[in-house]
Amino acid sequence: MNMKLLLKKRIFFFITSTVFILTLTVASSYAFKNSDLNRDAVVLNSEKLKVLYENGQIIEQEDSYPMSAEQGMEKAKTSTIKIINDKNSAANYYLKISNKEEGKNNLEFNKIYYSINGEEPLLLSTTSNGIVYYGKVNGNEEAVINIKVWAGLEYITNKDQGKVINLKYEILEN
């Protein structure tokens, strides 16, 4: 009789432990899947500004198709950058786009469109040293930049086959 009671306790403990471990595994998997850690977020801090690159700081478009200006505005992937000013005073900043790595496989800037916050698309070659946007964020506020980058259909030639968009974003204080 004593043995049956001991066996029942062990079985109950085993079942309870198994259910607890399974519940913990499912809950932590769900939490990780829905957390910000699963995104390509990159957070950088400077003296005044905290910068959150929600889709990552690098743009690598090896398998994207060239698009016209109109198509790119509709279909190109949007990258979001949040600039957070935790200080009391305003801060000026600028967004610079440059090649991630210098190389012969990169598409030239005169063939790459960009659009910021839904504005009219421009070619990267029209920028001054890759600076595409100037902004100001007041103290204890945040600013959001939505940017799209894509290869311009009308500028791509046969010589561009195999070339890729391989860029990086940088928010720098002014």
Side-chain angles (χ1 to χ4, degrees):
M1 190 94 172
N2 212 4
M3 197 60 112
K4 280 186 171 182
L5 185 60
L6 184 62
L7 185 60
K8 284 182 181 180
K9 284 184 178 179
R10 285 190 177 186
I11 291 174
F12 176 76
F13 178 75
F14 175 75
I15 291 172
T16 306
S17 299
T18 304
V19 169
F20 176 75
I21 290 171
L22 286 173
T23 304
L24 185 63
T25 303
V26 169
S28 59
S29 296
Y30 177 78
F32 181 75
K33 179 182 175 222
N34 293 319
S35 73
D36 286 342
L37 296 175
N38 197 34
R39 288 195 265 165
D40 294 331
V42 175
V43 178
L44 298 175
N45 292 311
S46 66
E47 258 183 59
K48 288 186 180 179
L49 301 176
K50 178 178 175 182
V51 181
L52 174 65
Y53 299 92
E54 289 192 355
N55 308 92
Q57 193 176 6
I58 306 297
I59 309 163
E60 293 178 318
Q61 295 181 357
E62 296 177 8
D63 58 351
S64 64
Y65 295 101
M67 296 180 264
S68 69
E70 296 79 23
Q71 289 172 322
M73 290 297 292
E74 291 178 26
K75 297 180 183 179
K77 179 182 172 188
T78 301
S79 295
T80 302
I81 303 171
K82 286 187 182 175
I83 301 99
I84 303 162
N85 185 352
D86 290 337
K87 306 296 183 215
N88 290 329
S89 60
N92 294 316
Y93 63 91
Y94 60 92
L95 170 60
K96 180 178 182 178
I97 299 178
S98 58
N99 281 317
K100 177 185 166 198
E101 297 172 11
E102 292 297 325
K104 60 183 176 190
N105 205 30
N106 293 337
L107 198 59
E108 295 88 17
F109 280 8
N110 63 349
K111 299 180 181 200
I112 301 173
Y113 278 118
Y114 74 94
S115 173
I116 297 178
N117 296 331
E119 296 289 324
E120 179 182 338
L122 299 169
L123 291 172
L124 275 176
S125 60
T126 63
T127 66
S128 174
N129 295 324
I131 298 172
V132 297
Y133 185 78
Y134 288 95
K136 178 180 179 179
V137 61
N138 293 323
N140 297 313
E141 290 185 5
E142 73 178 44
V144 177
I145 301 173
N146 292 307
I147 184 165
K148 294 182 178 202
V149 175
W150 68 95
L153 178 64
E154 54 271 28
Y155 300 108
I156 301 297
T157 65
N158 286 338
K159 292 179 184 177
D160 297 318
Q161 286 190 3
K163 292 190 177 184
V164 296
I165 295 176
N166 193 6
L167 306 170
K168 69 177 177 179
Y169 300 126
E170 291 179 276
I171 294 290
L172 303 166
E173 286 184 48
N174 197 5

